[in-house]
Amino acid sequence: MDYCNKKYCLITYGCQMNLHESEKLGGILSEFGYTETKDVKSADIVVFNTCCIRENAEKKAEGNIGALKSLKRNKKDLIIAVGGCMTQQKGYAEKLVEKFPFIDIVFGTHNLEDFKELLLRKSENVKHVISVSEGDSRIKEGTPKMRSSFPNGWVNVNYGCNNFCTYCIVPYVRGREKSRSVDSVISECKELIDNGYKEITLLGQNVNSYGRDLGDVDFADLLGKVSELDGKFRLRFMTNHPKDLSEKLIRAICESDKTCRSIHLPLQSGSNRILKLMNRHYTREDYLREVELLRKYMPDIAITTDIMVGFPTETDEDFMDTLSLVKKVKFAGAFTFVYSPRGGTPAAKMEGQIPEEISKRRIMELIDCQNAENRRQSKEYLNKTIEVLCEGFDKKKNKFLGRDTYGRMAYFSGVEGLIGKFVNVKITKTGGMSLLGEIVDIGE
Ligand code: 5AD
Ligand code: SF4
C-alpha cells in the first residue's frame, strides 16, 4: 500500500492520559508516512481514541463514529479505527462492529503500541481487525510520539490502577498498575528539555503509587531526580490519590524549585459514609490533615480537586458534608461530576441510585459554591505581576495564554515567538477562573 500523501485525523476523548496516547498514535502514523489533518473529510484514516469514564463520554464518541457512515460510503478506502478505554470493556468491540459495520480496526488500551501491525493487517483486506487483549501487557518503550502540546511535554510514569474505587471503570479497562523504570522516565524528560520543552507533566492514574511494583523507588524519589535535570523548566504531575500522599512526597514537592506550587488531589466526597462506600480508604478528617500538611510546607500551594455528586444512597446530609469541606479547604479549582453508573463496577449494582433531578440540583449548588471561591481567589491577582509560561494563542480571544505556577490561566497580548517563553504578566482584570493582563517583560 502506498502511504505517501495520506492523511490521518485523530479524535480524542477523555483525560490527559488519552491525549498523550493520541500523541503516540500520531507518532506511529507519521512513521508510516501519514501527515495530520484536523479535517475528517480530507482524512484517509480516522482514529477515535475513546473514553468510558462516564456514560456521556461514550455516547459522544458513538455519535461521532456513527456520523462517519456516509463519509465511508463515498470514500471506500477510508480507514476508520476505534481504540482506547471504551473498546477495552468486556464484549464491547464485537458490539461496536455490529452497530457500526463500517469500522475497520478496533484496538484496546493494551494494543495501542501494535497499531502499526493492525494497519498492516488491514491492508491485507481483512474486514474487521479486532485486537483487544485481556489482562496486562508489559510496558513497551520506544513508541514514537507526535507531540502536540509544546511547550508542555507529557511523560507517563505509571499505567493502570489497583484501587478499585467502586464507581470507577478505569481498573477494568487499564489493568493493574505498572511503573516505568526511573531511567526511561528520566531520559524522556531529558530529551524534552533538550528539545526546548519548558514544562513536564508526569502522568499516571495514581502517580503517588509510582514504584510500588519496582520495589526500591517511590514517586518522591522520581520527582527529586527529574527536578535535578539541568535547565529552566516546570514540573507538574497528575493525578494523585489522597490515601497515597506521603509527607515525604510533600517535602519533595516543597524542596524542588522546578515543581509547581499546585497539586490535584481528588476528594470525590466529603461524607465519610460515602467515602467508605466508594472504597476510597480515607476520611474527611484524613483529607483535611493532608491539606493542612501541604499548607504547612507550602502555605501558598494551590489545591485542585475532583468531586462527584449523586453516588448511590447519597443523602442531602452527605452532600452538605461535601459542601462544608469544599468551603473549608478553599480549592483553587474543582472538576465536578454527576455520578454515572458504569457496567461491571460494584456501585452500578448498589441500591439507592439517585434520581437525576436531585444530582443536578446538588451539582449546581456545588458549582455555585466553587465559582464564588474561584472569583474570590482571582480577585487577589489584581495588579499583581505573575510569571507565566506562554503556552499558546487563543484565536477566539485573540490573545496569548499561559499558566502561572499555581495553574491559573492568564490571557495577554503579545507578538509572535512568545510560545515557550516565560513572561511576566501584570494582571489588569479578573474573571471566574481566568485572568487578563499585560506583559511586563519577557524572560527565557
Ligand atoms: N461517574 C462520574 N464521575 C466519575 N469519575 C470516575 N468515575 C466516575 C463515574 N462513574 C470522576 C472522578 C475521577 C474523575 C477523573 O472522574 O471524580 O476523579
Ligand atoms: Fe478510578 Fe479510583 Fe483508580 Fe482513580 S484511583 S482511576 S478513581 S479506581
Side-chain angles (χ1 to χ4, degrees):
M1 202 189 273
D2 173 22
Y3 291 98
C4 290
N5 300 321
K6 296 222 171 199
K7 293 199 163 65
Y8 72 84
C9 179
L10 267 165
I11 301 170
T12 309
Y13 304 89
C15 60
Q16 260 161 335
M17 198 74 131
N18 267 20
L19 287 167
H20 183 44
E21 280 174 357
S22 285
E23 294 186 332
K24 295 183 190 172
L25 285 165
I28 296 171
L29 286 157
S30 300
E31 275 204 341
F32 243 71
Y34 282 92
T35 52
E36 191 183 14
T37 174
K38 299 278 182 207
D39 172 28
V40 183
K41 289 197 190 90
S42 65
D44 299 280
I45 177 164
V46 181
V47 186
F48 290 89
N49 189 7
T50 62
C51 167
C52 61
I53 197 133
R54 283 169 290 275
E55 195 189 0
N56 52 8
E58 235 172 59
K59 278 200 176 138
K60 203 159 136 195
E62 285 198 2
N64 291 341
I65 295 166
L68 290 194
K69 189 176 173 181
S70 60
L71 188 67
K72 175 85 177 186
R73 201 185 298 129
N74 299 327
K75 197 171 174 183
K76 289 274 177 293
D77 286 345
L78 174 68
I79 298 175
I80 297 176
V82 184
C85 291
M86 195 166 97
T87 58
Q88 189 68 41
Q89 296 172 88
K90 233 184 173 57
Y92 190 88
E94 292 73 20
K95 266 194 262 166
L96 194 69
V97 291
E98 216 173 276
K99 194 166 176 186
F100 306 112
F102 54 87
I103 292 177
D104 300 283
I105 301 172
V106 182
F107 59 104
T109 55
H110 306 299
N111 310 90
L112 183 139
E113 279 85 1
D114 308 327
F115 194 68
K116 189 172 169 184
E117 281 74 58
L118 306 184
L119 267 178
L120 288 169
R121 257 163 66 197
K122 181 63 207 169
S123 69
E124 288 158 6
N125 260 335
V126 179
K127 186 154 172 48
H128 300 298
V129 177
I130 298 182
S131 180
V132 182
S133 317
E134 290 244 352
D136 295 326
S137 50
R138 299 232 328 267
I139 294 177
K140 294 174 191 118
E141 292 291 347
T143 305
K145 293 171 197 85
M146 193 69 185
R147 295 198 183 263
S148 58
S149 56
F150 180 86
N152 311 305
W154 291 316
V155 176
N156 288 122
V157 301
N158 52 2
Y159 302 88
C161 181
N162 291 351
N163 290 325
F164 290 95
C165 301
T166 53
Y167 51 80
C168 187
I169 200 161
V170 169
Y172 304 91
V173 294
R174 290 273 173 186
R176 296 296 69 72
E177 252 170 48
K178 290 180 293 271
S179 302
R180 286 179 78 191
S181 71
V182 173
D183 288 349
S184 314
V185 173
I186 296 290
S187 71
E188 189 174 339
C189 292
K190 197 169 175 319
E191 195 185 316
L192 284 169
I193 298 160
D194 290 347
N195 286 318
Y197 281 76
K198 295 290 161 61
E199 185 172 284
I200 289 172
T201 305
L202 304 177
L203 281 182
Q205 246 81 41
N206 177 13
V207 292
N208 313 151
S209 55
Y210 171 83
R212 245 170 237 172
D213 52 330
L214 301 176
D216 52 354
V217 63
D218 63 17
F219 187 63
D221 301 328
L222 184 72
L223 198 74
K225 286 202 162 82
V226 179
S227 302
E228 280 165 17
L229 291 172
D230 288 335
K232 181 168 167 84
F233 67 93
R234 280 180 177 174
L235 192 50
R236 297 186 191 273
F237 54 95
M238 70 181 310
T239 182
N240 301 280
H241 195 306
K243 82 173 166 59
D244 298 317
L245 183 67
S246 64
E247 184 160 358
K248 179 180 173 192
L249 176 55
I250 296 175
R251 214 178 308 121
I253 301 168
C254 180
E255 283 167 4
S256 152
D257 57 347
K258 306 268 176 43
T259 305
C260 289
R261 286 291 179 263
S262 74
I263 186 166
H264 189 67
L265 197 61
L267 166 67
Q268 312 302 358
S269 170
S271 152
N272 285 340
R273 194 182 69 81
I274 296 292
L275 286 169
K276 198 160 186 94
L277 283 176
M278 286 176 164
N279 193 32
R280 291 289 288 176
H281 296 283
Y282 56 85
T283 61
R284 61 183 275 131
E285 291 77 20
D286 295 332
Y287 192 94
L288 276 171
R289 260 193 298 276
E290 280 175 12
V291 168
E292 236 171 68
L293 200 57
L294 279 162
R295 288 179 175 155
K296 186 178 125 198
Y297 279 89
M298 296 161 280
D300 58 337
I301 192 165
I303 304 170
T304 55
T305 199
D306 293 346
I307 303 171
M308 202 186 297
V309 300
F311 185 83
T313 77
E314 185 188 67
T315 61
D316 279 339
E317 206 182 348
D318 293 317
F319 174 64
M320 285 305 154
D321 282 346
T322 299
L323 218 50
S324 79
L325 200 58
V326 167
K327 285 180 185 156
K328 219 176 209 158
V329 174
K330 297 186 175 20
F331 289 109
F335 295 102
T336 53
F337 308 102
V338 168
Y339 164 74
S340 162
R342 305 283 61 214
T345 62
K349 293 185 222 93
M350 284 180 190
E351 307 252 317
Q353 301 286 324
I354 303 298
E356 208 182 311
E357 2 19 301
I358 296 184
S359 297
K360 279 207 173 132
R361 181 170 47 75
R362 287 180 188 158
I363 201 166
M364 292 315 294
E365 200 172 339
L366 180 61
I367 290 170
D368 281 349
C369 169
Q370 184 57 38
N371 279 350
E373 181 59 27
N374 293 344
R375 277 193 300 275
R376 190 192 65 77
Q377 291 189 22
S378 287
K379 266 197 199 130
E380 289 180 357
Y381 273 94
L382 204 59
N383 296 324
K384 281 198 179 138
T385 298
I386 55 174
E387 187 186 53
V388 161
L389 171 60
C390 182
E391 294 174 26
F393 185 76
D394 185 313
K395 282 193 192 133
K396 271 196 211 139
K397 290 194 162 79
N398 197 29
K399 299 254 184 257
F400 285 94
L401 57 93
R403 285 173 299 161
D404 69 355
T405 184
Y406 308 111
R408 190 55 69 115
M409 187 74 85
Y411 294 86
F412 45 90
S413 299
V415 288
E416 248 177 71
L418 273 187
I419 296 174
K421 292 227 154 64
F422 287 96
V423 289
N424 286 318
V425 174
K426 184 172 180 192
I427 302 305
T428 52
K429 202 172 163 197
T430 69
M433 277 300 270
S434 58
L435 313 168
L436 193 70
E438 283 159 14
I439 293 182
V440 177
D441 56 62
I442 302 172
E444 271 178 64

